[in-house]
Amino acid sequence: MNLKQLSAHLGLSQTTVSRALNGYPEVSEATRKRVMAAAQQHNYRPNTRAKALATGRAMAIGHVIPMSTQHEMMNPIFGDFIAGAGERYSKAGYDMVLSLVADEDQSRAYHEMVAKRNVDGIVLHAPKMRDARITMLQDIGLPFAVHGRATDITAPYSWLDVNNTSAFRRATDFLLDLGHRRICLVNGQESMDFAFRRRRGYEAALQARDIGIDPDLLFAGEMTEVYGYDTVRRTQQLDQPPSAYLVSSIIAAFGVRRAIEEAGMVMGRDISVITHDDDLSYLRNGADVPVFTATRSSVRDAGRRLATLLITQIETPGAPPLTELLEAELTVGRSTGPAPNRM
């Protein structure tokens, strides 16, 4: 069924049906629901090519994916984000264009997308604190939105981020309230903005209670299972080993857990662990009772929200940049408990 047939079936104009399908606010909620139900019943799919001709848009959104093995986004988190964004693109009639490039070819890839006019906007992933890609995209003039933020970029741009500073301050405070004083931070690469903000939250919580920051308990690296494992093995050899670990990814937290159990200790009794688990759809943090106490934030939902934000930018040219800051939830699981007597 095409748009003309769907409109005739509903007894509505093609303009009204089109606006209802695309979420325009001037269409009543009752009409929108009626149109959406009929579209689903009759398996209606918008003609992307026709829509592109009518709007002058490519009806596609670009993602440039650096191929470096050290890149933080080359892990399961990226798949969940893309799944969420893809849901929103599909509903709005946009396709997704993925461009896999070497790190040094990113600038060329963005410029080629503009030159080919094959995308209407771009999602920028894994921003660094001083991210030249943001300045470059501002100069290009194509709508874009950033998954995260870049601390040292002061010119306004569209972004969606989790409040990493608040999340890790809250998590550190939780461990401090349990009596822990030797808390090891197992962070991501601190050239990445999210990791910088998480360390800032961790340090703020310690400083607020006049607890010194021990450089022997600060780690930053690619968030792999082996990284978490090696960090525990190393720090448990210290004269004053940590009694708790605050970990930036559930993937690294699995390694932390493995090292604790290999040492004959029990997570949650002998050593406490809090992770940022990112609420991954296919890497669940337990069932009814979470395995890990965690600061939780759905990456799939972030994908949906950022896609909505960018589509709004594309469809309202000249509007000011849009931003959204999400708060992570602290969910208590089996991995935390009071500090042991050795403290």
Side-chain angles (χ1 to χ4, degrees):
M1 180 175 282
N2 59 31
L3 180 62
K4 182 178 180 180
Q5 292 168 329
L6 181 63
S7 302
H9 171 75
L10 289 165
L12 298 170
S13 70
Q14 292 184 46
T15 300
T16 298
V17 172
S18 177
R19 288 178 175 272
L21 290 169
N22 287 286
Y24 281 79
E26 59 265 32
V27 178
S28 71
E29 182 65 13
T31 299
R32 189 190 68 81
K33 287 182 178 179
R34 181 178 164 224
V35 171
M36 295 298 289
Q40 184 174 5
Q41 179 184 354
H42 296 283
N43 199 30
Y44 169 78
R45 293 292 182 272
N47 186 322
T48 302
R49 184 177 296 275
K51 188 172 182 180
L53 289 171
T55 62
R57 303 193 191 109
M59 300 309 299
I61 292 173
H63 296 252
V64 174
I65 308 172
M67 292 302 295
S68 169
T69 57
Q70 294 302 309
H71 208 280
E72 290 287 352
M73 78 177 198
M74 298 303 290
N75 59 41
I77 293 172
F78 182 64
D80 251 29
F81 180 90
I82 286 294
E87 290 176 22
R88 182 66 183 94
Y89 297 158
S90 179
K91 287 181 179 179
Y94 286 80
D95 293 326
M96 184 188 306
V97 176
L98 299 179
S99 180
L100 280 69
V101 302
D103 279 25
E104 61 271 19
D105 290 335
Q106 288 185 75
S107 177
R108 176 186 55 78
Y110 289 123
H111 280 89
E112 283 185 357
M113 284 182 171
V114 175
K116 293 177 181 177
R117 302 179 66 183
N118 63 344
V119 300
D120 301 304
I122 290 172
V123 173
L124 191 151
H125 297 270
K128 297 183 179 181
M129 292 176 62
R130 302 171 183 84
D131 204 312
R133 295 175 300 169
I134 294 175
T135 304
M136 178 192 66
L137 288 171
Q138 288 172 325
D139 292 340
I140 288 175
L142 191 69
F144 72 96
V146 183
H147 183 206
R149 286 176 283 174
T151 297
D152 293 334
I153 302 294
T154 56
Y157 57 91
S158 294
W159 54 262
L160 177 142
D161 198 10
V162 174
N163 192 340
N164 288 292
T165 302
S166 173
F168 270 53
R169 179 163 187 167
R170 190 182 313 126
T172 306
D173 278 332
F174 184 83
L175 291 169
L176 292 169
D177 289 342
L178 288 172
H180 297 278
R181 293 298 179 266
R182 299 279 292 170
I183 302 170
C184 179
L185 177 64
V186 188
N187 205 5
Q189 295 174 334
E190 292 183 356
S191 61
M192 311 301 290
D193 195 84
F194 76 87
F196 164 77
R197 292 177 185 274
R198 290 176 185 181
R199 176 169 172 172
R200 189 164 64 181
Y202 162 86
E203 291 179 342
L206 294 178
Q207 291 168 346
R209 305 205 193 190
D210 296 322
I211 298 173
I213 297 168
D214 187 343
D216 288 340
L217 300 182
L218 298 177
F219 291 83
E222 185 74 9
M223 293 187 296
T224 64
E225 194 270 353
V226 173
Y227 164 54
Y229 176 84
D230 288 344
T231 300
V232 173
R233 291 289 299 270
R234 182 187 308 180
T235 54
Q236 286 301 307
Q237 300 303 314
L238 295 172
D239 291 338
Q240 291 182 293
S243 65
Y245 292 84
L246 178 55
V247 190
S248 261
S249 165
I250 196 170
I251 299 168
F254 286 140
V256 169
R257 178 186 183 183
R258 178 163 67 95
I260 290 170
E261 292 175 348
E262 279 191 10
M265 295 183 287
V266 176
M267 185 174 70
R269 185 192 70 190
D270 303 307
I271 293 181
S272 288
V273 179
I274 295 182
T275 184
H276 186 79
D277 77 346
D278 288 306
D279 193 19
L280 299 179
S281 60
Y282 47 86
L283 200 60
R284 289 297 184 188
N285 180 15
D288 296 333
V289 180
V291 174
F292 292 100
T293 296
T295 54
R296 304 189 64 184
S297 176
S298 170
V299 174
R300 186 175 291 246
D301 185 53
R304 296 188 194 100
R305 288 170 175 265
L306 186 63
T308 300
L309 184 151
L310 179 54
I311 290 169
T312 300
Q313 284 282 99
I314 292 168
E315 297 183 351
T316 53
L322 302 173
T323 63
E324 185 172 0
L325 184 62
L326 307 176
E327 294 293 338
E329 300 176 0
L330 180 63
T331 303
V332 180
R334 300 192 299 270
S335 67
T336 49
N341 292 332
R342 61 187 174 93
M343 291 299 294

